[in-house]
Amino acid sequence: MGRPRKPRFVDGLELPDNLYTDPKKRKNYWRYIRPDGSILTFRATTVEAIRQAKQANRQRDLFKHQPAANETLWTARAGSLLDRYTSWVAWTELNHPKQATASRWAQKRRYVERMCEQLQNPMPNELTLAMVREWWESQDYHPQRNSRAALRSFINHLMLEGVVPKLPFNPFNTSDEAPKLIPRQRPPKVRQRLTITDFWRIHDKAGELGYEGLQIAMELSLLTTMRRGDVCSLRLDMHVTEVGIDKGVEKSISQRGEERATYLRWSYSKHPGLRRVINRAHHLSLNNYRCPFAVSYPPKRRQPRAKQDEHWCRLMPSRISNQFKEARDAAGVREDLPSNAKPTFHEIRALASHLLKKSGHSPESIAEICAHTDAEITENFYLSGHEREYIDVGITIDPKLISRK
């Protein structure tokens, strides 16, 4: 008889089988081992992760026979919700090829797949409004906001096929003329703004840590208001010319398409500081095995990438965020704040917008280079939260009117 497995505890709670903590030591990140050996990485509190793992383990017990070699536990039931999910993916990629090649398509598929898994993969004719509502209201604001469009498309597909008779309407629609699930209210912003003093403290500390690519990324974001993804995808052989930088906004391309997206040009004559940053990026590229990207970093171990147009020294967005956090904490910036309130790399973009406003530029012109749909987004989410602006009051009351008798 084998030795019994030693129980594992996190925060005083015993972890069920197949649930493990994150190997990168990230807080509230977990790994669940599926029946086919694949790993599902998800984010949840300890109590919620244990609940989901126990729920998935109960689902395993329903299938005592081993599924086919090319099937997993979740897709073993023919005609189930995940089986319909596969047909929805195939239909979308066939009829909407532009959406299927978008950068966010994989994430949208994952939102739908996660809903099917967390609902225990029922048959479509068993799906009720009460089940969907209970699951929807257990989600936080950001998962609701990000997944609603994909879920609406998936339920539309099921309703057109006539396989969800217990759903009287699409609960994920956004029209006020029909019933719909109410999303959570947006939580108040807790992340603090980044000041220019803190920016240079983090910038100097990044140099001490050997993160020259992070320094270049910070300077590019400050001078151009580029997002983290745009900075990482900036190529010296495609977007950098003799007179400046020509770059399309990736978020705008994914949302509006290449024809209607926002394309920006920064010329060295109007932005002289960019020439120095790009020259530094060229030198870093030569040191990092001629990496064609403007920001690069040689990892300790070379890992071949799936895409041929990428380079193994390319500095990816997740690594930029991790390096920024490391440099920020090493520099002692906002040590008194909790981790979720400390400024991140994205706050450089807000700092750049704030400095542009102080330079005398209008919110409308700032919204244009930020590729926002209107200036209200720029005002509410990028220009607010910095130091208070005081209006000089130049009118007074006549002292004779308030004299005491």
Side-chain angles (χ1 to χ4, degrees):
M1 183 175 180
R3 178 182 299 178
R5 180 175 296 181
K6 184 177 180 180
R8 298 170 292 117
F9 293 90
V10 173
D11 297 335
L13 302 175
E14 184 178 357
L15 298 182
D17 294 337
N18 307 310
L19 179 66
Y20 298 89
T21 56
D22 184 64
K24 298 180 181 179
K25 309 296 183 182
R26 293 178 296 180
K27 187 177 181 181
N28 291 337
Y29 278 84
W30 306 88
R31 293 187 304 156
Y32 182 82
I33 309 299
R34 293 189 177 108
D36 63 341
S38 61
I39 298 177
L40 170 66
T41 303
F42 64 101
R43 185 178 183 180
T45 62
T46 304
V47 176
E48 179 63 17
I50 292 175
R51 185 192 69 80
Q52 294 186 23
K54 289 182 177 179
Q55 180 181 3
N57 289 339
R58 287 194 298 268
Q59 183 75 5
R60 285 174 184 248
D61 297 337
L62 298 177
F63 302 93
K64 297 187 178 180
H65 300 288
Q66 184 70 19
N70 61 343
E71 291 182 328
T72 65
L73 170 69
W74 296 110
T75 58
R77 301 173 65 189
S80 62
L81 207 59
L82 270 173
D83 191 22
R84 297 285 181 175
Y85 155 77
T86 306
S87 64
W88 168 73
V89 171
W91 182 90
T92 305
E93 293 180 349
L94 177 64
N95 294 275
H96 299 276
K98 184 173 292 187
Q99 178 182 350
T101 56
S103 57
R104 294 197 62 216
W105 173 235
Q107 185 61 50
K108 289 182 178 179
R109 296 201 315 266
R110 182 62 196 133
Y111 287 137
V112 179
E113 185 181 9
R114 184 188 62 179
M115 182 192 72
C116 299
E117 291 180 353
Q118 293 181 352
L119 289 176
Q120 300 185 30
N121 192 27
M123 300 300 289
N125 58 2
E126 301 172 354
L127 196 64
T128 64
L129 184 61
M131 294 171 54
V132 177
R133 180 180 179 181
E134 181 182 2
W135 171 82
W136 173 257
E137 294 180 349
S138 66
Q139 306 298 308
D140 293 332
Y141 165 78
H142 291 289
Q144 286 183 348
R145 177 178 177 271
N146 296 333
S147 64
R148 187 163 192 163
L151 297 176
R152 180 171 63 251
S153 174
F154 177 60
I155 297 299
N156 275 340
H157 179 76
L158 298 181
M159 298 183 77
L160 288 175
E161 291 189 343
V163 295
V164 282
K166 295 184 180 180
L167 284 183
F169 54 88
N170 191 335
F172 301 108
N173 72 78
T174 56
S175 174
D176 291 333
E177 298 178 357
K180 59 182 178 181
L181 292 176
I182 306 299
R184 289 180 179 271
Q185 183 179 1
R186 186 184 184 96
K189 182 180 178 63
V190 297
R191 194 169 65 238
Q192 298 297 312
R193 294 299 192 190
L194 184 70
T195 64
I196 190 63
T197 303
D198 293 337
F199 172 88
W200 289 117
R201 289 175 59 190
I202 299 173
H203 183 275
D204 295 340
K205 183 58 67 172
E208 296 177 9
L209 295 174
Y211 297 154
E212 188 178 0
L214 174 61
Q215 289 183 314
I216 296 175
M218 292 176 63
E219 295 172 9
L220 285 172
S221 182
L222 183 68
L223 295 176
T224 64
T225 70
M226 282 189 189
R227 294 178 176 86
R228 181 187 61 172
D230 290 315
V231 172
C232 293
S233 62
L234 181 65
R235 293 180 65 107
L236 299 173
D237 56 346
M238 292 176 55
H239 306 122
V240 176
T241 65
E242 295 181 357
V243 296
I245 300 175
D246 297 341
K247 183 74 168 66
V249 182
E250 290 190 349
K251 185 176 181 180
S252 178
I253 294 175
S254 63
Q255 292 179 347
R256 307 175 190 174
E258 295 185 356
E259 294 81 7
R260 298 183 299 166
T262 300
Y263 293 88
L264 302 174
R265 172 174 293 168
W266 294 271
S267 60
Y268 294 145
S269 59
K270 297 180 180 179
H271 307 272
L274 276 180
R275 186 185 293 274
R276 179 186 57 81
V277 180
I278 293 300
N279 289 339
R280 188 179 178 188
H282 277 292
H283 288 293
L284 182 64
S285 172
L286 295 176
N287 295 333
N288 292 336
Y289 306 92
R290 296 186 179 275
C291 179
F293 293 91
V295 290
S296 57
Y297 176 78
K300 295 181 179 179
R301 183 176 60 182
R302 179 171 180 171
Q303 296 180 354
R305 298 193 180 277
K307 296 182 179 180
Q308 297 297 325
D309 60 341
E310 292 188 355
H311 192 274
W312 65 284
C313 288
R314 177 187 178 183
L315 191 54
M316 302 301 289
S318 58
R319 185 180 289 273
I320 276 189
S321 295
N322 293 334
Q323 290 182 356
F324 183 86
K325 293 176 183 177
E326 182 181 350
R328 178 199 63 197
D329 295 340
V333 174
R334 308 295 179 91
E335 292 180 323
D336 56 326
L337 297 177
S339 59
N340 63 336
K342 295 180 180 179
T344 61
F345 184 89
H346 189 73
E347 289 301 324
I348 301 177
R349 180 172 161 86
L351 173 62
S353 302
H354 172 64
L355 295 178
L356 286 172
K357 182 181 179 181
K358 292 186 66 176
S359 301
H361 302 286
S362 64
E364 289 76 16
S365 60
I366 300 174
E368 184 178 2
I369 67 170
C370 290
H372 290 156
T373 54
D374 52 54
E376 184 178 356
I377 297 177
T378 310
E379 284 278 8
N380 294 337
F381 299 106
Y382 285 83
L383 298 180
S384 62
H386 297 279
E387 65 264 19
R388 295 184 178 90
E389 297 182 0
Y390 294 91
I391 301 175
D392 186 21
V393 180
I395 57 176
T396 60
I397 301 175
D398 189 347
K400 298 179 180 179
L401 299 178
I402 56 176
S403 59
R404 297 184 62 181
K405 294 183 182 179

